[in-house]
Amino acid sequence: MNLKLSFHPEFCQDILCHSDTARRCGLDNRCPPELLGNLSRLSALLGEIQQSLNIRSGALKINSGFRAEALNAQVGGVPNSQHCWGLAADVVCPEFGPPCDLAMAIAQLPCEFDQLILEFGKWVHVSIAPLDQTPRRECLSIFSKNEGYLEGIVKR
Ligand SMILES: [Zn+2]
């Protein structure tokens, strides 16, 4: 099967798989072919968010996209994280505003995200649902592991 997957030019495979930590630790963080379909849909969602919020080209930064298991363990990600399935990206956009404002703005968009999580006030985790599941549009915040997840995007 020769399936041609499309990627938003700014959220291409290289950008979504790039990791300074993986590079530093010599970890292979290429996305396996069977997960590229997810990564392509994630790319489209990020493009939609950028366009809908009128974010300038190049201003929406991906802190972490796809994570192979080894990288996920290295960065202390939750086991079986959506990042490991090519379904999630952690983003920031200093030009737009602090992560809390970015998360609140994304929450208002009609786009089909699965989870939107304001994490430690520092970045926004946005994910898509697996193909066979309905996007939940779930909004959560977490400030500390002790306190755990809170309902909604919480400003602190
Ligand atoms: Zn994340």
Side-chain angles (χ1 to χ4, degrees), residues 64-65 67 81-83 88-91 117 119 123-127:
S64 180
R67 292 181 200 152
S81 158
Q82 287 181 313
H83 287 276
D90 295 339
V91 300
I117 313 176
E119 296 189 317
W123 65 83
V124 180
H125 169 104
V126 60
S127 72

Side-chain angles (χ1 to χ4, degrees), residues 50-101:
Q50 176 174 262
Q51 190 180 13
S52 304
L53 296 182
N54 282 315
I55 292 172
R56 176 183 66 83
S57 207
L60 187 65
K61 308 280 186 206
I62 312 292
N63 282 358
S64 180
F66 172 73
R67 292 181 200 152
E69 293 287 345
L71 173 63
N72 192 54
Q74 183 72 37
V75 300
V78 293
N80 205 32
S81 158
Q82 287 181 313
H83 287 276
C84 299
W85 295 95
L87 295 170
D90 295 339
V91 300
V92 292
C93 186
E95 274 188 27
F96 186 86
C100 177
D101 292 2

Side-chain angles (χ1 to χ4, degrees), residues 1 8 38 45 47-48 84 100 124 126-127 131 137 139 154:
M1 190 165 65
H8 187 283
N38 288 345
L45 177 70
E48 194 184 331
C84 299
C100 177
V124 180
V126 60
S127 72
L131 258 190
R137 283 189 56 96
C139 297
V154 178

Side-chain angles (χ1 to χ4, degrees), residues 2-149:
N2 189 6
L3 196 66
K4 182 76 186 123
L5 291 165
S6 69
F7 280 84
H8 187 283
E10 284 179 49
F11 308 111
C12 63
Q13 213 174 312
D14 281 353
I15 300 264
L16 292 175
C17 293
H18 173 81
S19 159
D20 288 337
T21 305
R23 193 160 286 189
R24 195 172 59 241
C25 301
L27 302 171
D28 181 358
N29 200 52
R30 284 173 298 179
C31 182
E34 65 272 22
L35 298 181
L36 283 176
N38 288 345
L39 213 58
S40 162
R41 291 188 301 116
L42 178 64
S43 169
L45 177 70
L46 293 168
E48 194 184 331
I49 289 171
Q50 176 174 262
Q51 190 180 13
S52 304
L53 296 182
N54 282 315
I55 292 172
R56 176 183 66 83
S57 207
L60 187 65
K61 308 280 186 206
I62 312 292
N63 282 358
S64 180
F66 172 73
R67 292 181 200 152
E69 293 287 345
L71 173 63
N72 192 54
Q74 183 72 37
V75 300
V78 293
N80 205 32
S81 158
Q82 287 181 313
H83 287 276
C84 299
W85 295 95
L87 295 170
D90 295 339
V91 300
V92 292
C93 186
E95 274 188 27
F96 186 86
C100 177
D101 292 2
L102 179 63
M104 283 184 174
I106 296 172
Q108 302 301 317
L109 297 177
C111 62
E112 300 210 313
F113 59 83
D114 185 47
Q115 283 187 311
L116 181 71
I117 313 176
L118 176 62
E119 296 189 317
F120 311 104
K122 289 188 178 147
W123 65 83
V124 180
H125 169 104
V126 60
S127 72
I128 52 168
L131 258 190
D132 59 350
Q133 289 173 29
T134 308
R136 293 172 286 178
R137 283 189 56 96
E138 182 174 44
C139 297
L140 301 168
S141 301
I142 185 166
F143 293 92
S144 75
K145 291 209 164 135
N146 275 346
E147 187 183 40
Y149 289 100

